[in-house]
Each structure stands twice: as C-alpha cells, then as structure tokens.
Amino acid sequence: MYDELSLFDNAFIADLLRKAGNQVEYWDIRATVSEGTTIDFTDQRSTEISSYEMTNCGIRAFINGGWGFSVLKDLNKDSIRSSFLKSIKLAKLTQSLLKNEFKIIERNPIEKSFKINCKLPLSDVDIEDKIKLVKNHEKIATSSSKLVTNTRTIYMDGVSNYVFINSFGSKIKQKLSYLRLLNMVYSRKAGITQRSINSVGGLGGFEIVSTEKAEKLSEKTALESIKLLDAKSPIGGQFTIIADPKLAGTLIHEALGHACEADLVLSKESILKEKINKEIALTDINVIDDPSMGQGKKLGLPYELFGSYFIDDEGIPSQKTTVIEKGVLKNYLHNLETSSRMNFPPNGHGRASSSSAKPQVRMGFTYIEPKDWNIEELIQDTKNGILCKDFLYGYTNPTTGNFQFKCKFSYKIENGEKKELMRDVALSGMILEVLKKITAIGDKNTFGFSSGICGKNGQNVHVSDGGPYIRVDDITVGGLN
Amino acid sequence: MDEDIDIFELAKFAIKIAEKNYPNYKCAEIFVGKSEYLNIEVEENSVKYSEIGRNHGISIRIYRKNGSIGFAFTNKLNKKVVEKIVKNAIKMMRVGTPDPNFKNLPEKLKNYVVVKDLYDKSIKSLLIEDAIEFVKDLIKVCTEDDQTVSQSGDFTASSNFSYIFNSNGIEVSGEESLFNISSNIIVKDTMNGEASNGYESQMKRKLADIDGTKTAEEALRNAKRNLGRKKIKTKKMPVILSPKGTINLILNPIASAINAEMYQYKRSFLVGKRGKKIGSDLINIDDQGIINGRVGSSVFDGEGFPCRNKKIIVHGLFLQSGLLHNSYTAGKEGVESTGNASRRSFSSVPSIGITNLIFQCGTAQKDELIQNVKEGILLNSTADSPNIATGDFSGLISQGNLIQNGEIKHALNETMFGINLLDLFENITSISKEYKIYGPYSAPYVKIDNVQIIGAQS
C-alpha cells in the first residue's frame, strides 16, 4: 500500500527545489496514504461494514504574505510537479493583491522518521475479531435493561503513512495508527427518551479495546442513559458549579484555548489580544498545552492520547507550552505563520485535518494543572450549587468572549451534599470573567481527561483536554423552568 | 491525473468483479464522484490565501440475500485497486449480520423530473482571477466603514459530478455547481472598546446570484447590532426569531426529527405524533427536492432515486407521510422512498437528509411583528441545538436584541433561554410574509409567545 510515497526521493525533491528557485519564499508538501475500517451496528445488526484505501496530497507555496495551496489525489511525479507549479502561481496571484506583507522565518530543518508503537498492529487483526468486539458491546448495551430502546456501536480504525517535506530541507516520515470505539444508547420510559454517548480511542493498535475503560464502555453508556430517564430539567439562574475533569477540560478548551490561538489574535478576533504577561486568571491557576507523546503513559494508558502528535503539519515538533502561569497569560499557540509575524518561537500548533487541508493553529492536549482540594472537601465546602459531570458539546465566540457548554449529568448540591440528578444543564459565561471566578482547584488524584473532535473553519481535528475538579462561582445556568 | 479514465467503464468493471466473486449477491451499487473546487480566503480584510483542488473516488455497496451489507471505497481510480476494494466489500458483506429489514436497492423507475439550473456552466471557465472579484466586494464594504476592525471571509466555487449504477437497473449521472461566499466582520465601539462580530453567507447554484457586497453589508449590520451588549433579568417573554433563528431553532431540529431513521429507532421527539397536531395552525413545512435552481434540489438522490416535493406539516398537523426516507427506511416501513437518500461523497453510505426545507411564510409584516411587542427578544442566532430525542432546548442567545415598546434595543449578553420544541410549536402566534433563503432552507420571521429567558442580571 505504501510504495506511492517512495516517489519523494532525494532526486525528486532536488528537482522541486530547482523548480521553485527563488520564485517562492517557502513551500511544503504533505502526502498521506491510508487504509481503514468502519463497523457500524445498530440494534445488534450491521448497518455498515466498510474498508477504504485513500491518498491525499496538498502543496503549499508562500510569497511575502500570500499563500497558494493546491490539492491533488493522484500521487505521481507528473501530477505533483504540475500542482507544485499551480500553487506557486496561486501564491503569486494572492500576494499581488494583499495588503499585509510578512515573511516566514526560517526554522531548522528536521529529517526524521516517527512511528506509533502498537502492541497489536491493526493489520494483524482479522475483521471478524473487530466485528465480534462490536457485537459484544451491542449485546451488553441491549441486554442491560428493558428500558433500552436503541443501541449503536461504531468501530473505526485507520493506519497511514505520511510524508512531509518543505523548503527548509525538512523531510519527515510518519507511520500512524488510530482506533476509536463509540457507543450510543437510547432508553425510554413514560414517554421520555434519553440518550448517552461515550467513546474511547487514541493512537495505537487493537490493544486499545482491551483497556478497562473500553471493556466497560457499553455497560457505562447504557447505565447512564437509564439514569437520565429519572433526571429533572434544571431551573435556570446564577449558580456555583463544580466541574469534573472532563467538563473542566472542555471549559479551559473553550473558555481560554480558542482565544489563545494566535491566528485569531492576529485577525483581531480574539479577546486575548494584547494580554500577554497580563493577569487574566486567578493567581493559583496554571494552564498547559502539551501535545507531545507519552501523555497516555503518564495517565496509565497503554496508548497515546488523540491530542498528541510527534510533529505538527508544518514540521515543528510538538512540545509543552505554558499558556497561563500563576494566572498570567504567558503564550499563545502558534503555527509557522503566526510565530513569524509575532516574533515568537514556533510551538508546534500548526495542524491540519488531512493532507488535503491547510494547517491552522489548533490545540493539542490542553489542561489545568492540579492543586490541593480533594473532591469530598470540595463538595462539602459548597453550600448550594451544581456538580456538573461530563459534557455533550461546547463552543465559544472568541470575539465577544461568550461561551456555552451542555453538561451530560448534573447533580444539585445542597448544604454540601450531592442531591438529585438533572439533565441538559447548559452553562454560559464570559471567558475573561470565568477565569477569575474559579474558587477551588482539585488535587492530582482528581485529574482526568477526555478526547474529542474540535472543529474550526470546517476542519475537524482530534484534541484532548483535562484537569482536576474545579469550582466556579456565578455561572449562568439555562433551564426550561 | 487520471483524466482519461472512463468511470462508466470502471463502474461496470466493478460490478463484473462482484458477479465473478460472489454470483449469489442480492444487489450492488457503484457510486462514482468527481469534484473540483477553487477557494479564496480573506483574512484581516485582505486577500490571504487561494486554493484549488480536485477529488474523485469510487465506492461499492453490496448486499447478500439475507440483507447483510458490505461497503468499500477508494480514490485510486484504477482497475487493480477497484478489484481489490470490490473483493473487500464482499468480505465485509460475508461477515455482516442478516438484516430482514433490508428490502432492496431502488429499482429502475419511471421518468425523472427535469430540474433546471442545477449546473452553471460558467464554472467551467471560472478563473481564480475572476473569483477574486467577488472577494474584493467583501473587502470594499469593510474598507469604507469606520467601526470595522477586521474581516475574514471566503469565496468557494465547486462542481460535483456523480454517477450511480446499480444491479437493479438504475443508471443516472449528473453534474451540479455550488457557489459560496461568507463574511465575518469584527467591529469595535470606539468609545468603550467593546468588540463584536457579525456573520453572513450565501450559497447558490448560479455564480451570478452571488453578491459579495450584500453579504458583507449584512454581516456588518449584524456586527453593529450586536454592540452595546447588556445583561437582562430572568423573565418570560415573547421571542421573534429572525430567518436565521427560525432555521436554528425550528427547521434544523425538524430536519432531524422527520428523518425516518431517527424516527424508526425512536430517537425523535416526534415519535408517535404522526397524523397528529404538533403545534399552531400557522405551521406549514414542506421538503421540496425539485425546485429549479435551488441548492437542495437534485434530479436524483444519493441512491439514484428521483427527488420530489412533499408536504411534512400542514396547519400544524404532522402528516402520516411526513417522514424523509431512503430505500432502506422506506423498505422497512413498506412505503416508497421519498428520494431523500443523502451522501456527502463517494466515501459514505447513504443516510437521510432534507432537500429544500421550507417554512411557508405567513401574512404578518415583519416590522409590525416587532412593533407589536411591548417587551421581548429578537433572536438572530443561537449556536445551540435541542436534544432531538426529547425536544428540550436550553441554550445561549449568541446574537439577539431586546425589544421594548416595539423598538429594537440593545444586544444581549450572557442571556439564555429554554423551551421544549412542542411548546414552542404551540406558542407560535405569528409568521411574517418576508422570508430568507439560506442554502437548503427557506425561513420567515416567527413569533413565539411565553419563552423562558434566563438573564445574568441579578
């Protein structure tokens, strides 16, 4: 499957360098060859079992602030050459019209190969074993209660070979592998339908499905959807909330992370413009984005997190970046362009959803560092509030700073005690205000994470986020009552 | 580029391979898609980025007699790889589970209706230089305005060719064009430094219908209307949805709730409501697949079945025939497909989607609607969506203004609202004559009484 990428040999690269000559200031080429499987079951029946074999290639050229990008599907030297020239032409045209000129600062070239280590490589696993796994989860979910009306389990895996070359002289090769298992359960009682979704996944091989979290996936989802049947709709108003690690992670991703993306800062869309070295949060809080490999291991997992990568899609190695230190904004997240324009070292956040899409500034694994509260104390110390667990979705408007999340489970807290369950609790607040309303940060025993898909300008990438339990005062809670 | 590849021949080759390797299959379908696009992006109110690209691929969907399905796709359009993926699809089919609910893929039908203006041939000669003119219109609007800080936006032109061939005798092909322009404008209040943004977009089949100036002007109006944000108190009051609000809050959720797959799996809040009143007499909603020139129109759907027009909700009555079907869900219910099989590209199995979802307009004047409100909210957009299974909605008003004594006042900050969609449908008391088309949706202004607003003002 992978021989297509061998066409990027030294002679061919030298030929491209010659063709570019001094017409362009920067260029890069990304190419991917991938294979994968999808297994989709509903109510214990297969609705899709599929496999694919795909190639993707994108060529970028840059002149004085203008970019040209050309996407092709046929990996052969002729079509790459002709697309290469097209992207140069596009860059010339773009730069002839633009008013913001800038340069891309040259970075050290990297020549390296990377590989995701898999205990059980996906190519060694028979399709029947994958189906058996899905069937098993479907069975567990369906038979867990008579209230379950509908179940769905999706298994997705993929392996790919990736090549990156650029005009700095970088040549990077990667062998990647991922797996994701998703389970959805609907239950119904007294005319009310409730749903829960959970997924596990990351970078690695088939061993991912044998982790405890993966094995309990469908059981957990079914229990949750049944539990939600008895949950009440919330009463709207202003509340103190305690967010679990998953929600705390989403909160930091939405309420801070997006506004730290330097492309939004440059386009004046971010409320965090001109806030570097300013105190924007409680002095106790540290926020990190660290997409480097090895995070999974630190969390006791035999695979890598979805938000991790060896190197970004512009050839910059992933690294730990301190976003907030003791409440002070320290760094934005950068790609090649923003780091050049703002004169910061690049920190490896130029990511693309595929080789056919252009890299944008994206987060990796964003988290709040733990402090000292244990969870029992945290609840006991909260007179009246809501304990919010897990999330359904979240979004933010980086310009106004208004954000919103939908929680999966929420419990009322009365006089320091956890009480009844509520569903569809929506939380809203303002980015810069909420960071100052955090009144307690949990200890390292409460640390957790979640992985999900984050969309920006039509591109979806895998991200992870996390943190300990945190408490936030004065959050607007939406409700039907 | 495999320009010379004969995709018709390749499709037939794929079916032959299937026949050779599994003669006893029930039915099979080949889908070939080819697309080309160009895109120009504006950042910081300047041309920044241009892109061209193409995509193509082939997929096979094959069923065994017992209903088990196999699917495979590739974008390598050569016989060697196609043979491999057909064999893969057969392998997938063999290990799938039986499905007695699967009846058949569409069979060769009567005539297809002619739907005009789905392909604008000017796309063939469209150069990136021409496309840039549209983007210049966006930029100009901002350059001429004092409060504007920045604009991002883009223009995209694409053409999509699809060819569907199945073993039941369906063989259709067609080409469609799509043009898109969008603008997101950031404005700043020079007095207090408050920033806000406004968004607007157009999606059209015909290039000449794209108007960059209008798009940016509307984005700018939205941005300015969103300045001066204030918190309000928690209270019940009427809400007037702008066409965008109507799409967010009514049409989008309806599109999911009438999807036969959602319905049959009981994932829709409309389960059990067919043939019943689900709201105000004023609600009339259609799904119209064959209107000339519309973005959601097509001659045939993702399975090659003819598209058509149908009524969904009539005077608040959710019709017995008001579900959107593909061949699978139709077969399961024992009815004919409604031509709503949708697939994003060759790489997906057909799901179900709307064609053009139309909320029929009413008789009220939009301005009068607003003038008659003593205290209420004009809701332009929410990025939230309801829980389709329960119909419960609670979310943030991302762009909205207070209405006081019939006048549009300040924008809203941190204001949320909550309502169940069935209550919302019941509480619709007026619908405007004026309407707007956004992509596959047509929507008027809609007035809803008695909505729970949750403000952050203590």
Side-chain angles (χ1 to χ4, degrees):
Chain A
M1 122 188 203
Y2 295 136
D3 45 354
E4 282 117 317
L5 294 183
S6 59
L7 68 89
F8 291 100
D9 54 27
N10 291 339
F12 184 53
I13 295 170
D15 178 37
L16 294 176
L17 277 164
R18 251 195 319 275
K19 281 214 159 46
N22 49 15
Q23 296 184 75
V24 283
E25 294 166 10
Y26 173 81
W27 59 262
D28 58 27
I29 300 181
R30 285 169 294 134
T32 316
V33 181
S34 51
E35 283 184 2
T37 313
T38 302
I39 302 169
D40 192 345
F41 268 63
T42 290
D43 292 343
Q44 305 197 64
R45 275 192 203 129
S46 55
T47 56
E48 177 181 348
I49 303 181
S50 69
S51 73
Y52 65 83
E53 192 172 323
M54 300 281 280
T55 56
N56 277 300
C57 182
I59 303 175
R60 237 171 21 146
F62 173 85
I63 309 170
N64 199 28
W67 289 97
F69 188 49
S70 168
V71 171
L72 67 156
K73 300 292 163 185
D74 306 282
L75 286 182
N76 61 63
K77 286 185 183 175
D78 285 342
S79 57
I80 290 168
R81 256 186 226 113
S82 98
S83 290
F84 187 73
L85 296 175
K86 271 185 209 159
S87 67
I88 293 175
K89 195 184 148 209
L90 289 174
K92 282 183 179 167
L93 183 72
T94 311
Q95 80 91 32
S96 73
L97 292 159
L98 56 81
K99 59 166 204 248
N100 306 314
E101 298 183 354
F102 60 89
K103 300 286 172 198
I104 295 290
I105 295 172
E106 189 159 342
R107 308 292 173 188
N108 292 333
I110 293 174
E111 257 193 90
K112 218 171 169 180
S113 295
F114 300 98
K115 192 183 170 201
I116 294 283
N117 288 316
C118 304
K119 241 187 224 143
L120 280 169
L122 293 168
S123 53
D124 293 352
V125 182
D126 200 81
I127 181 81
E128 294 188 28
D129 289 326
K130 297 175 184 174
I131 289 177
K132 217 164 106 188
L133 168 88
V134 172
K135 277 185 175 166
N136 188 37
H137 279 288
E138 281 282 289
K139 201 173 164 197
I140 293 170
T142 310
S143 54
S144 60
S145 160
K146 279 188 182 146
L147 300 173
V148 170
T149 52
N150 180 228
T151 61
R152 184 173 182 195
T153 307
I154 308 172
Y155 168 95
M156 277 167 289
D157 69 23
V159 289
S160 58
N161 267 23
Y162 171 103
V163 166
F164 173 89
I165 54 177
N166 71 5
S167 54
F168 301 157
S170 288
K171 183 172 183 185
I172 293 152
K173 290 185 187 172
Q174 298 191 85
K175 281 184 190 297
L176 304 172
S177 170
Y178 86 94
L179 182 157
R180 188 180 183 93
L181 184 67
L182 185 141
N183 181 253
M184 196 190 292
V185 178
Y186 287 80
S187 301
R188 193 171 167 89
K189 190 167 91 178
I192 287 174
T193 300
Q194 283 296 320
R195 170 191 92 158
S196 185
I197 306 180
N198 285 298
S199 72
V200 281
L203 309 175
F206 204 64
E207 65 275 6
I208 293 174
V209 305
S210 306
T211 53
E212 197 194 339
K213 198 177 161 194
E215 284 179 343
K216 296 219 162 124
L217 181 73
S218 46
E219 187 189 332
K220 180 180 174 220
T221 312
L223 283 176
E224 285 177 356
S225 87
I226 292 161
K227 238 163 85 176
L228 283 171
L229 289 170
D230 296 319
K232 299 201 165 57
S233 289
I235 293 168
Q238 301 285 114
F239 291 91
T240 294
I241 64 146
I242 296 174
D244 84 332
K246 287 181 178 179
L247 186 66
T250 316
L251 195 127
I252 214 67
H253 173 104
E254 293 297 343
L256 176 75
H258 280 295
C260 288
E261 294 166 345
D263 52 349
L264 297 181
V265 176
L266 282 171
S267 66
K268 304 183 180 75
E269 284 169 66
S270 168
I271 199 163
L272 292 177
K273 193 168 120 330
E274 290 158 12
K275 296 277 187 208
I276 289 282
N277 288 326
K278 301 239 163 83
E279 191 176 302
I280 60 162
L282 180 78
T283 52
D284 224 19
I285 192 168
N286 297 324
V287 178
I288 309 291
D289 195 302
D290 189 358
S292 58
M293 291 291 181
Q295 308 296 328
K297 204 171 173 188
K298 283 186 208 159
L299 292 159
L301 299 167
Y303 55 89
E304 297 288 354
L305 300 188
F306 262 132
S308 290
Y309 42 92
F310 294 108
I311 197 145
D312 76 359
D313 291 304
E314 297 182 310
I316 305 294
S318 59
Q319 53 202 273
K320 181 172 173 175
T321 298
T322 301
V323 178
I324 293 183
E325 188 178 50
K326 294 186 175 148
V328 176
L329 183 67
K330 282 298 179 190
N331 286 294
Y332 297 125
L333 304 178
H334 289 288
N335 63 4
L336 214 51
E337 177 184 321
T338 64
S339 64
S340 295
R341 294 177 64 184
M342 297 171 91
N343 211 10
F344 272 91
N347 50 24
H349 285 276
R351 302 180 68 194
S353 60
S354 81
S355 290
S356 317
K358 62 164 185 170
Q360 301 174 305
V361 180
R362 305 303 296 262
M363 285 172 257
F365 174 36
T366 321
Y367 61 89
I368 303 168
E369 280 194 341
K371 287 286 172 191
D372 43 15
W373 284 77
N374 79 43
I375 175 67
E376 286 80 23
E377 282 170 9
L378 199 50
I379 293 173
Q380 279 161 24
D381 190 65
T382 305
K383 234 180 154 154
N384 286 302
I386 303 173
L387 172 63
C388 300
K389 288 193 164 186
D390 213 341
F391 65 96
L392 295 166
Y393 62 83
Y395 62 84
T396 185
N397 179 330
T399 310
T400 61
N402 210 342
F403 65 82
Q404 217 269 98
F405 317 100
K406 201 56 85 60
C407 312
K408 200 159 159 186
F409 292 103
S410 309
Y411 296 89
K412 230 181 211 171
I413 300 175
E414 279 172 9
N415 297 318
E417 270 180 63
K418 188 172 139 184
K419 298 272 185 175
E420 76 205 55
L421 181 68
M422 295 183 291
R423 68 181 176 226
D424 294 326
V425 169
L427 308 175
S428 162
M430 302 299 288
I431 295 180
L432 293 178
E433 291 171 19
V434 77
L435 295 170
K436 293 190 169 165
K437 289 178 183 169
I438 297 174
T439 56
I441 299 176
D443 62 24
K444 64 177 193 296
N445 296 322
T446 74
F447 191 88
F449 80 101
S450 68
S451 290
I453 288 162
C454 171
K456 178 173 171 180
N457 300 337
Q459 285 191 48
N460 289 329
V461 299
H462 284 297
V463 293
S464 302
D465 48 51
Y469 275 82
I470 59 169
R471 184 173 63 194
V472 193
D473 283 348
D474 233 1
I475 287 275
T476 307
V477 172
L480 276 64
N481 303 311
Chain B
M1 186 69 208
D2 298 325
E3 296 284 10
D4 315 329
I5 283 236
D6 181 343
I7 53 156
F8 303 102
E9 196 215 318
L10 198 64
K12 276 155 202 160
F13 168 78
I15 288 273
K16 270 197 203 109
I17 297 293
E19 276 162 6
K20 205 175 109 191
N21 285 278
Y22 198 90
N24 213 10
Y25 71 88
K26 160 109 181 156
C27 52
E29 170 197 73
I30 308 294
F31 185 101
V32 184
K34 276 173 105 170
S35 64
E36 280 186 61
Y37 67 90
L38 63 83
N39 166 262
I40 299 165
E41 275 180 31
V42 171
E43 267 181 47
E44 298 157 73
N45 207 36
S46 164
V47 174
K48 172 72 183 294
Y49 175 92
S50 53
E51 175 177 344
I52 51 173
R54 48 174 86 228
N55 197 0
H56 58 224
I58 183 167
S59 63
I60 174 162
R61 184 160 63 123
I62 184 163
Y63 287 91
R64 220 171 169 175
K65 292 231 158 64
N66 67 8
S68 78
I69 176 182
F71 183 73
F73 61 91
T74 182
N75 63 1
K76 299 177 186 172
L77 296 185
N78 65 65
K79 286 189 174 172
K80 211 176 108 196
V81 179
V82 167
E83 178 163 356
K84 195 174 144 196
I85 67 137
V86 171
K87 286 179 179 168
N88 268 340
I90 291 171
K91 191 175 163 193
M92 301 288 156
M93 172 185 77
R94 282 168 173 274
V95 291
T97 57
D99 186 351
N101 290 325
F102 174 75
K103 296 296 171 335
N104 207 345
L105 285 172
E107 289 176 81
K108 192 171 180 172
L109 288 146
K110 43 209 183 272
N111 294 335
Y112 291 81
V113 181
V114 177
V115 188
K116 285 186 198 148
D117 305 326
L118 299 181
Y119 180 73
D120 177 357
K121 59 182 186 302
S122 71
I123 194 169
K124 271 206 163 142
S125 52
L126 182 73
L127 297 172
I128 199 115
E129 286 86 346
D130 309 325
I132 280 172
E133 294 305 313
F134 290 92
V135 173
K136 280 185 181 164
D137 290 341
L138 294 180
I139 293 171
K140 195 163 169 239
V141 170
C142 267
T143 316
E144 288 169 354
D145 185 86
D146 301 340
Q147 275 186 307
T148 300
V149 176
S150 185
Q151 174 178 221
S152 54
D154 76 333
F155 170 86
T156 309
S158 62
S159 64
N160 286 288
F161 169 86
S162 50
Y163 171 58
I164 304 171
F165 173 75
N166 81 17
S167 60
N168 292 342
I170 292 260
E171 183 172 9
V172 285
S173 66
E175 189 157 27
E176 296 172 351
S177 54
L178 206 56
F179 303 90
N180 237 311
I181 195 160
S182 74
S183 161
N184 184 42
I185 295 181
I186 317 287
V187 294
K188 203 167 192 174
D189 186 318
T190 37
M191 304 293 279
N192 63 11
E194 182 193 19
S196 113
N197 70 309
Y199 178 82
E200 180 70 7
S201 65
Q202 285 185 339
M203 193 192 275
K204 305 283 181 193
R205 291 269 187 218
K206 213 164 129 195
L207 182 62
D209 291 343
I210 292 285
D211 189 335
T213 307
K214 240 185 178 169
T215 305
E217 280 173 355
E218 182 63 23
L220 184 57
R221 263 194 298 276
N222 284 336
K224 288 184 175 171
R225 204 183 293 142
N226 201 29
L227 281 174
R229 290 186 300 281
K230 284 181 199 156
K231 296 175 183 176
I232 57 169
K233 282 193 173 152
T234 296
K235 199 173 182 182
K236 277 200 174 181
M237 52 177 106
V239 168
I240 295 173
L241 303 176
S242 74
K244 264 190 210 157
T246 302
I247 293 169
N248 279 175
L249 213 59
I250 300 179
L251 290 180
N252 240 321
I254 290 238
S256 300
I258 61 174
N259 173 324
E261 186 182 315
M262 298 283 281
Y263 195 91
Q264 288 172 355
Y265 288 141
K266 298 196 167 46
R267 294 174 190 161
S268 162
F269 71 98
L270 292 180
V271 167
K273 302 264 187 297
R274 272 202 289 178
K276 291 181 186 160
K277 282 275 277 190
I278 57 164
S280 156
D281 283 351
L282 300 172
I283 310 175
N284 289 291
I285 293 175
D286 302 343
D287 182 63
Q288 303 190 351
I290 49 173
I291 319 171
N292 292 339
R294 286 287 300 270
V295 163
S297 299
S298 283
V299 176
F300 55 89
D301 73 357
E303 297 181 304
F305 195 89
C307 291
R308 56 183 167 95
N309 296 343
K310 59 243 158 232
K311 294 188 181 306
I312 307 293
I313 300 171
V314 178
H315 294 306
L317 180 81
F318 179 31
L319 298 183
Q320 190 64 36
S321 58
L323 296 181
L324 307 180
H325 285 288
N326 60 15
S327 67
Y328 179 87
T329 60
K332 193 171 171 181
E333 205 181 299
V335 295
E336 198 181 44
S337 170
T338 55
N340 287 89
S342 86
R343 61 211 294 176
R344 270 164 293 137
S345 80
F346 63 89
S347 63
S348 58
V349 293
S351 54
I352 294 173
I354 57 163
T355 56
N356 298 293
L357 196 63
I358 294 170
F359 196 129
Q360 298 292 359
C361 13
T363 51
Q365 295 268 8
K366 162 204 154 192
D367 290 339
E368 278 173 22
L369 269 187
I370 295 165
Q371 280 156 19
N372 292 335
V373 171
K374 206 164 166 252
E375 187 180 32
I377 280 168
L378 177 64
L379 190 150
N380 193 31
S381 75
T382 164
D384 282 287
S385 46
N387 182 333
I388 298 300
T390 58
D392 284 348
F393 177 94
S394 79
L396 182 69
I397 297 176
S398 42
Q399 295 218 324
N401 292 70
L402 189 71
I403 304 172
Q404 258 174 341
N405 300 319
E407 277 176 48
I408 299 173
K409 299 283 188 188
H410 66 81
L412 302 170
N413 212 6
E414 282 186 80
T415 308
M416 304 178 86
F417 69 109
I419 192 162
N420 184 282
L421 288 179
L422 290 173
D423 295 330
L424 185 153
F425 296 162
E426 196 59 55
N427 294 353
I428 291 177
T429 51
S430 198
I431 292 172
S432 75
K433 274 186 204 167
E434 297 89 346
Y435 69 98
K436 274 192 179 177
I437 296 173
Y438 285 100
Y441 295 104
S442 291
Y445 289 81
V446 174
K447 185 179 173 223
I448 307 155
D449 280 346
N450 215 19
V451 182
Q452 180 65 55
I453 305 294
I454 297 117
Q457 190 193 97
S458 34

